[in-house]
């Protein structure tokens, strides 16, 4: 496996991945330039939603603190547009290591094959965390990432560094787009899809990206979240 140069050096950390030159990245930036809902509208919408939901989020934060020890927000390093790493925010839905009830799952018991592991019955998930994850409420703090410009409302999911390191040159185009809070993957089965299916859906979105496609995905997101299919 080759070592790639950082594609956005000002804010990125060097990670191991398929080699892609800066020139190639810049050429593809023009080819895959954003064609969806304008980012300033997405950021304005994200800020408005955050303000409107702030009382509910504060109440949820109180419940999280009451049930288990640890911070309310969980921040994890993810890989975004052009390989730039950023801190992706979520409401904490799991017990923290060191808490009396904490029990790590056995990796071999993963209910999904591949490098992206999922467990139907993860012993780390708290009682309130079960519902936060079921209805994707735990992902609402990613609206902060949208406001900051790390993410968009619609786009490919931001992958972990460990997942990014598994990319080949055919998968790299998914980095020529801001990761999103929702997208084709989220409305097509969520965690019930395989890692390869996720990647293909992400690549399909990038090719088909348009304002109309974004609006359709947003409209499909609400029933997909309420149905809670593939969420665990």
């Amino acid at each position: 496996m080759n070592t790639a140069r950082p594609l956005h050096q000002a804010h990125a950390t060097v990670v191991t991945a398929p080699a892609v030159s800066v020139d190639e990245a810049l050429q593809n930036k023009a080819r895959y330039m954003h064609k969806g809902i304008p980012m300033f509208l997405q950021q304005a919408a994200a800020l408005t939603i955050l303000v409107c939901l702030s009382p509910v989020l504060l109440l949820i934060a109180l419940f999280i603190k009451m049930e288990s020890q640890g911070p309310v927000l969980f921040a994890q390093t993810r890989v975004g547009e052009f390989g730039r790493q950023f801190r992706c925010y979520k409401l904490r839905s799991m017990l923290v290591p060191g808490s009396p009830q904490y029990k790590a799952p056995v990796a071999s018991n993963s209910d999904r094959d591949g490098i992206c592991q999922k467990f139907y019955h993860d012993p780390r998930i708290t009682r309130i965390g079960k519902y936060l994850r079921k209805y994707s409420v735990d992902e609402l703090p990613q609206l902060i990432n949208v406001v900051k410009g790390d993410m968009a409302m619609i786009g490919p999911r931001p992958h972990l560094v460990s997942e990014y390191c598994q990319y080949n040159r055919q998968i790299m185009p998914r980095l020529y787009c801001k990761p999103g809070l929702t997208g084709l993957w989220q409305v097509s089965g969520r965690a019930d899809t395989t890692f390869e299916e996720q990647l293909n859906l992400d690549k399909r979105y990038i090719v088909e990206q348009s304002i109309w496609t974004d609006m359709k995905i947003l409209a499909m997101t609400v029933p997909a979240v309420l149905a809670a299919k593939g969420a665990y």
Side-chain angles (χ1 to χ4, degrees):
M1 187 176 293
N2 299 321
T3 301
R5 287 184 283 176
L7 300 181
H8 197 312
Q9 197 132 23
H11 302 284
T13 303
V14 179
V15 294
T16 301
V20 176
S21 70
V22 175
D23 289 340
E24 181 180 349
L26 292 175
Q27 290 170 5
N28 281 294
K29 183 174 183 179
R31 179 183 176 189
Y32 293 102
M33 64 183 299
H34 184 77
K35 303 180 185 70
I37 297 173
M39 278 305 303
F40 76 92
L41 291 179
Q42 296 193 41
Q43 289 172 300
L47 181 59
T48 302
I49 295 170
L50 273 174
V51 172
C52 293
L53 292 182
S54 57
V56 177
L57 292 173
L58 287 172
L59 185 61
I60 293 173
L62 178 61
F63 289 149
I64 292 173
K65 291 297 290 185
M66 289 174 61
E67 181 178 5
S68 60
Q69 66 183 41
V72 170
L73 285 180
F74 170 74
Q76 191 175 45
T77 300
R78 297 289 180 118
V79 179
E81 189 177 30
F82 290 92
R84 186 175 69 86
Q85 295 184 33
F86 66 96
R87 300 293 282 170
C88 184
Y89 302 112
K90 286 189 176 186
L91 288 170
R92 182 174 60 81
S93 60
M94 291 186 174
L95 298 167
V96 296
S99 62
Q101 302 90 354
Y102 182 84
K103 182 180 179 182
V106 179
S108 59
N109 291 338
S110 174
D111 293 293
R112 185 165 68 181
D113 296 330
I115 62 173
C116 187
Q117 296 182 333
K118 289 287 184 179
F119 303 89
Y120 288 131
H121 304 289
D122 195 322
R124 299 169 296 180
I125 298 177
T126 62
R127 285 175 296 177
I128 187 172
K130 178 180 179 182
Y131 295 99
L132 295 179
R133 294 164 72 94
K134 182 176 182 179
Y135 297 107
S136 297
V137 177
D138 62 320
E139 297 188 356
L140 288 177
Q142 289 169 31
L143 290 166
I144 299 172
N145 290 116
V146 177
V147 174
K148 291 173 61 180
D150 296 325
M151 295 176 59
M153 293 287 284
I154 311 99
R157 284 302 294 157
H159 278 165
L160 297 167
V161 175
S162 60
E163 296 167 341
Y164 169 59
C165 291
Q166 304 297 316
Y167 287 7
N168 56 40
R169 296 187 69 86
Q170 285 69 45
I171 299 171
M172 291 304 290
R174 78 182 304 280
L175 292 179
Y176 303 136
C177 178
K178 283 186 184 294
L181 183 59
T182 186
L184 278 180
W185 170 62
Q186 288 84 341
V187 299
S188 303
R190 296 159 85 180
D192 284 342
T193 56
T194 65
F195 184 66
E196 289 72 22
E197 288 171 337
Q198 291 177 30
L199 295 175
N200 287 330
L201 287 168
D202 289 342
K203 289 167 62 179
R204 175 184 161 191
Y205 168 76
I206 294 171
V207 172
E208 299 177 358
Q209 187 186 58
S210 67
I211 293 176
W212 175 240
T213 298
D214 281 1
M215 292 175 65
K216 286 195 296 183
I217 292 173
L218 285 175
M220 295 169 64
T221 296
V222 175
V225 168
L226 293 178
K229 182 181 178 181
Y232 50 90

